């Protein structure tokens, strides 16, 4: 049975005021879909921390953890990390990297991401944000669902992308950390 608005369905049970949760707009074929990424980062007493990923490639999660640890000095190596995409979605879109990174940092630092913020962008090994495809379509879907702030790579920002939202340009992973520090 067709779901007329999957984005609204996937966000319907989203709770405010909890760290480790970030919205992202993905491209499923030619259709933009907004999903929620949740992360739980907790200290471990075991020498080998646990890593669990549902809905996102395990190796991609490990790569992002390595970038965050190397470039920002965050000690994920002493923590268990659980990552989940709500609603059973399977993400193959590298544009979800920014939301994953924000959710991980948010959980580790226990900083709540504003519920009206959505993040998109691919992260390279040097910690740089790379452009994503269909940024205008993604921004339009985010605006339609009431998001007022959008964090995306600097090169994706233009007049068409704005759509009345506050644009937060991301050049490197340090910009994501700075964004959360302002919360």
């Amino acid at each position: 049975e067709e779901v007329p608005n999957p984005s609204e369905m996937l966000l319907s049970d989203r709770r405010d005021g909890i760290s480790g949760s970030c919205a992202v707009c993905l491209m499923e074929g030619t259709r933009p879909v907004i999903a929620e990424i949740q992360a739980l980062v907790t200290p471990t007493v075991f020498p080998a921390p646990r890593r669990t990923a549902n809905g996102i490639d395990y190796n991609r999660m490990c790569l992002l953890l390595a970038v965050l640890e190397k470039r920002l000095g965050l000690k994920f190596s002493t923590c268990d990390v659980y990552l989940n995409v709500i609603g059973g979605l399977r993400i193959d879109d590298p544009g979800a990297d920014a939301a994953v990174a924000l959710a991980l940092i948010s959980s580790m630092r226990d900083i709540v991401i504003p519920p009206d913020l959505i993040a998109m962008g691919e992260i390279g090994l040097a910690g740089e944000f790379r452009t994503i495809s269909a940024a205008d379509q993604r921004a339009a879907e985010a605006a339609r669902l009431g998001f007022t702030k959008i964090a995306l790579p600097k090169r994706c920002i233009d007049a068409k992308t704005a759509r009345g939202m506050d644009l937060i340009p991301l050049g490197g992973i340090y910009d994501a950390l700075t964004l959360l520090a302002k919360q």
Side-chain angles (χ1 to χ4, degrees), residues 112-126:
V112 176
I113 296 172
D116 62 342
L117 173 76
I118 190 164
M120 319 170 216
E122 181 179 359
I123 298 175
L125 293 179

Side-chain angles (χ1 to χ4, degrees), residues 95-154:
D97 289 356
V100 170
L102 284 172
L104 289 166
I105 296 168
S106 166
S107 181
M108 177 171 245
R109 296 271 175 99
D110 202 23
I111 300 170
V112 176
I113 296 172
D116 62 342
L117 173 76
I118 190 164
M120 319 170 216
E122 181 179 359
I123 298 175
L125 293 179
E128 79 283 8
F129 278 92
R130 311 197 48 86
T131 59
I132 54 173
S133 63
D136 295 342
Q137 284 180 285
R138 295 174 197 239
E141 179 71 1
R144 188 180 72 75
L145 288 177
F147 289 92
T148 60
K149 299 175 191 148
I150 182 169
L152 70 166
K154 287 180 181 180

Side-chain angles (χ1 to χ4, degrees), residues 40-53:
L40 180 64
V41 178
T42 183
T44 186
V45 295
F46 298 107
R50 184 172 170 99
R51 304 282 188 251
T52 302

Side-chain angles (χ1 to χ4, degrees), residues 43-136:
T44 186
V45 295
F46 298 107
R50 184 172 170 99
R51 304 282 188 251
T52 302
N54 287 324
I56 193 162
D57 182 59
Y58 176 82
N59 291 322
R60 188 73 185 175
M61 177 190 70
C62 290
L63 181 139
L64 291 172
L65 288 170
V67 170
L68 292 173
E69 187 151 339
K70 173 73 175 179
R71 304 295 175 209
L72 296 180
L74 299 173
K75 297 296 178 199
F76 288 100
S77 59
T78 61
C79 297
D80 290 336
V81 176
Y82 304 91
L83 193 62
N84 187 36
V85 180
I86 299 301
L89 282 180
R90 178 85 186 133
I91 296 178
D92 294 324
D93 185 347
D97 289 356
V100 170
L102 284 172
L104 289 166
I105 296 168
S106 166
S107 181
M108 177 171 245
R109 296 271 175 99
D110 202 23
I111 300 170
V112 176
I113 296 172
D116 62 342
L117 173 76
I118 190 164
M120 319 170 216
E122 181 179 359
I123 298 175
L125 293 179
E128 79 283 8
F129 278 92
R130 311 197 48 86
T131 59
I132 54 173
S133 63
D136 295 342

